[in-house]
Amino acid sequence: MNSAALRVMIDHRIEKITLPSGIPESLEELHSTVKQALNITDDISLQYMDSDFEDFFTLQSTTQIQHKSTIKVVTVAPIVLTLFPPNESFTEGDITEQCLDTTTYTCTTIHDFSDTTGSSASTVILSPNNSPERKPWPKEFIIPHFSVETEMVLEKANEIYRKDGTVLTTPNVKSDILEKLAQSIFTYTAYPSSLQILSVAEALIKAHPCLTDRGSFSGVYAWQTSIKYKMANYRTKLRGFGIPEVTCNALKHKNPDDRKSAKNVKKPRRAEVNYLPSYPVGEDENTLEKEREELVSELKKKNNEKMIKEKMNKTFAHRRHEIINQCPSVQDIKERWPALFQPSQVSAEFQRITTVQLEPKFMSSLDLHTPKLLTLFRAKGGALGQRLKTEMELLKDGHCSVDMTREVVIRCMIEFLGEHAGDLIKEFNDNEEQTRIEQLVMAVIVTRTGASSDSPKDTGIVIEGVKVLTDLESVPRACCVLLGLTYALNLHYPRHLKNTFEVFQKLLLELDALKLSNRVQSLRSRLLS
């Protein structure tokens, strides 16, 4: 039987597949052969080039193609549906994410558990244009597939390396590798950190040991440098396509005072996945500004949460461009985006930016570490130990509520980290509220309506002297929402509370947990011991 060759188009590349036994008789066998040759794991659909119409049509039978025909591979991601019985209520443990990924659109369902008082879960549907463009950085970087020629060269070179240790030094292969690595890295971030670049280089050498750098002790130093400069060149190329996350740092878009400094580069610094998204297709600043005005009007209506969520989701890119590029004050943001200063919308915005559910993750992680933390606090001696014992007096009767236990743990943890709980959690009476609020930069405030310690109290958040949120029910929830606001408003952490916010972010929410400060690393080691 004569062999056959097919010209295969997949994504943005063209490959050649040789069939030693000729065109298979069954379509299933052809599917299997193509998937094996191109290392495809997802389900696929094949299309063939019709000579009469000069266009691609769905391949129904292998008799429609012959030697040197052109076929097109379309990957079909699996459809995952989670079904629930009618009228079944959700609990916080029933968190489910449903994704429908097809070649036409992406639809993501997100359950919003920001209301911890027991209300049923609500759903936010992200349209194709608003679906997240990026993914969180993986724990282990997966090396992408290179071109067929490069894969063949690497396969042979790996065999030679295992026999006599000879490394591969082909320039053309290195160029293709760096290009594919840059494309893969960009799906996670446009500005990878040194640790992230190191993880890519180590994963590359692990997958292809023939690429080991003989000139360095670790064997990856040359690849680290090459990947770093390749990403810089790749960002330059992307600026030509108008990608917002890189064009915002072009010289013509920066202030004259910033053009000589690299310190004010606008880029994700706390594991933001969607830091500066592109405008949705068919939308621009003017159209989304009209949506913002309608959003402000909708906010004045009662029982209108669904419409507010839809418009907040639609205007996400417009809001991020305004906050990142213009750096307005908190008061200005509150006037233009009042809906953003609701606990449910803070959680939704945090999830758009990081893909992480804020309150469920924060509270569950805090509860998980509470027993170990309390053990560490009780074992501490000296002046710090006395302060911690004073804070933990409330837990002695054994009848504390969950929120009270969480608050005690947070207060003790702040002190344990060498900072002061009073710098984050401010308590005062109603009559002295206004004068003290104006002096606060960022704090959780607990206001009592009477002189007694048992009098009713209100928990809120103050940023830049502006009371942005009230009626937050508890201090732990206020701390959680405050962290969400630092992401939503692109705010820096207070210097005198940097360790506390680092624990909130990196230990509780597990965002950018690769690099920790000494104090936080010490706490993490004790929690895991």
Side-chain angles (χ1 to χ4, degrees):
M1 184 177 294
N2 296 330
S3 63
L6 296 176
R7 179 173 179 265
V8 183
M9 300 178 62
I10 176 171
D11 295 331
H12 300 291
R13 71 181 195 268
I14 300 176
E15 309 288 353
K16 176 183 176 182
I17 293 181
T18 301
L19 305 173
S21 302
I23 304 296
E25 295 182 357
S26 67
L27 192 60
E28 291 75 16
E29 186 178 353
L30 179 61
H31 279 213
S32 177
T33 302
V34 171
K35 290 172 66 175
Q36 183 177 3
L38 300 179
N39 295 319
I40 300 174
T41 57
D42 294 331
D43 293 333
I44 63 172
S45 173
L46 297 179
Q47 301 175 355
Y48 73 101
M49 172 64 77
D50 186 271
S51 58
D52 295 332
F53 292 92
E54 295 185 353
D55 200 356
F56 285 97
F57 291 83
T58 302
L59 185 64
Q60 304 290 349
S61 171
T62 56
T63 57
Q64 294 173 306
I65 58 174
Q66 55 187 351
H67 176 52
K68 293 186 177 181
S69 290
T70 298
I71 63 174
K72 184 177 181 181
V73 177
V74 179
T75 58
V76 182
I79 297 177
V80 180
L81 295 177
T82 304
L83 304 179
F84 297 91
N87 301 324
E88 179 174 329
S89 60
F90 292 89
T91 63
E92 190 166 305
D94 293 328
I95 300 174
T96 307
E97 292 184 65
Q98 304 174 26
C99 296
L100 288 176
D101 291 324
T102 71
T103 57
T104 307
Y105 64 90
T106 301
C107 173
T108 304
T109 301
I110 302 168
H111 294 309
D112 180 6
F113 286 95
S114 58
D115 184 0
T116 57
T117 58
S119 61
S120 61
S122 56
T123 302
V124 178
I125 300 298
L126 298 182
S127 65
N129 295 330
N130 287 334
S131 57
E133 299 176 358
R134 296 264 165 71
K135 300 172 286 186
W137 189 267
K139 293 183 178 179
E140 183 175 352
F141 188 86
I142 304 299
I143 299 300
H145 292 292
F146 307 115
S147 66
V148 174
E149 295 85 352
T150 300
E151 290 286 354
M152 292 174 62
V153 171
L154 290 175
E155 183 178 356
K156 294 180 180 179
N158 285 329
E159 293 180 2
I160 296 174
Y161 178 84
R162 283 189 284 267
K163 291 179 180 178
D164 55 23
T166 303
V167 298
L168 180 67
T169 58
T170 306
N172 293 337
V173 171
K174 184 174 182 179
S175 177
D176 179 49
I177 291 173
L178 289 174
E179 183 69 22
K180 289 293 174 28
L181 287 178
Q183 294 174 2
S184 183
I185 291 172
F186 186 74
T187 62
Y188 302 105
T189 176
Y191 295 90
S193 65
S194 299
L195 286 175
Q196 290 171 336
I197 291 176
L198 174 61
S199 68
V200 174
E202 290 176 341
L204 178 64
I205 299 305
K206 182 179 179 181
H208 302 289
C210 65
L211 298 175
T212 301
D213 172 29
R214 292 293 194 188
S216 65
F217 176 78
S218 61
V220 298
Y221 179 77
W223 282 105
Q224 284 181 263
T225 305
S226 298
I227 294 171
K228 175 184 176 181
Y229 285 107
K230 179 62 182 179
M231 285 305 300
N233 294 334
Y234 192 67
R235 288 193 294 268
T236 301
K237 182 170 70 173
L238 292 177
R239 289 191 183 100
F241 296 102
I243 304 299
E245 192 169 349
V246 293
T247 55
C248 69
N249 292 313
L251 289 180
K252 65 179 181 179
H253 292 290
K254 299 182 73 175
N255 296 327
D257 296 337
D258 293 339
R259 292 181 181 178
K260 296 181 181 180
S261 174
K263 294 182 179 179
N264 296 321
V265 175
K266 297 172 180 176
K267 63 179 181 179
R269 301 183 188 276
R270 295 178 300 196
E272 295 96 337
V273 177
N274 296 308
Y275 178 73
L276 192 58
S278 303
Y279 281 104
V281 177
E283 303 286 356
D284 57 22
E285 183 178 354
N286 295 327
T287 59
L288 292 181
E289 178 62 20
K290 294 180 180 178
E291 290 287 340
R292 185 198 67 80
E293 294 173 355
E294 293 178 6
L295 173 61
V296 174
S297 300
E298 293 291 343
L299 194 63
K300 299 176 182 178
K301 302 177 183 179
K302 295 182 178 180
N303 301 322
N304 204 23
E305 290 80 8
K306 182 178 180 181
M307 181 63 67
I308 292 172
K309 288 181 180 180
E310 290 176 356
K311 290 192 175 295
M312 282 291 289
N313 185 54
K314 187 174 183 179
T315 56
F316 172 59
H318 182 44
R319 186 164 53 256
R320 291 299 291 178
H321 279 251
E322 183 176 309
I323 291 174
I324 299 299
N325 292 324
Q326 300 179 20
C327 301
S329 66
V330 172
Q331 181 63 47
D332 291 339
I333 298 175
K334 188 176 181 182
E335 291 176 356
R336 284 182 53 80
W337 301 95
L340 182 59
F341 295 89
Q342 297 177 351
S344 60
Q345 292 306 319
V346 173
S347 296
E349 191 81 349
F350 184 85
Q351 187 161 2
R352 295 184 192 104
I353 296 171
T354 66
T355 73
V356 174
Q357 290 184 325
L358 178 59
E359 291 193 45
K361 179 66 175 177
F362 186 95
M363 298 303 177
S364 61
S365 295
L366 181 61
D367 294 341
L368 176 65
H369 293 303
T370 289
K372 188 70 173 182
L373 285 170
L374 291 176
T375 301
L376 293 176
F377 300 155
R378 293 189 179 102
K380 195 67 179 178
L384 175 58
Q386 290 299 321
R387 295 200 302 272
L388 296 178
K389 288 180 181 179
T390 302
E391 293 285 357
M392 291 188 290
E393 286 291 331
L394 295 173
L395 304 180
K396 281 190 173 181
D397 57 9
H399 299 289
C400 287
S401 64
V402 173
D403 285 335
M404 178 57 69
T405 303
R406 290 170 175 170
E407 180 177 345
V408 170
V409 170
I410 289 176
R411 287 177 180 272
C412 290
M413 184 171 62
I414 296 174
E415 298 288 340
F416 191 82
L417 293 169
E419 298 169 345
H420 301 290
D423 291 338
L424 176 63
I425 305 167
K426 305 284 187 179
E427 296 191 28
F428 45 88
N429 296 326
D430 198 16
N431 54 4
E432 60 179 348
E433 174 183 356
Q434 188 59 41
T435 56
R436 293 185 61 182
I437 280 181
E438 296 174 352
Q439 303 171 5
L440 299 178
V441 177
M442 184 182 294
V444 172
I445 58 171
V446 180
T447 308
R448 301 188 185 277
T449 58
S452 172
S453 60
D454 297 328
S455 59
K457 57 185 179 181
D458 170 51
T459 304
I461 294 174
V462 172
I463 301 177
E464 295 180 4
V466 179
K467 196 171 185 178
V468 295
L469 275 167
T470 58
D471 301 324
L472 289 177
E473 304 166 2
S474 67
V475 169
R477 192 183 188 204
C479 292
C480 176
V481 174
L482 177 58
L483 179 67
L485 281 172
T486 64
Y487 276 79
L489 306 180
N490 195 38
L491 301 175
H492 294 290
Y493 295 151
R495 287 188 177 182
H496 56 284
L497 291 168
K498 62 179 183 179
N499 292 332
T500 298
F501 278 89
E502 184 180 350
V503 169
F504 289 168
Q505 173 199 323
K506 298 184 178 182
L507 293 192
L508 299 187
L509 294 179
E510 299 179 346
L511 291 172
D512 192 25
L514 292 176
K515 186 177 181 180
L516 303 176
S517 64
N518 292 336
R519 280 187 179 273
V520 177
Q521 180 62 57
S522 175
L523 176 60
R524 181 178 182 274
S525 300
R526 295 185 182 188
L527 291 177
L528 297 179
S529 63

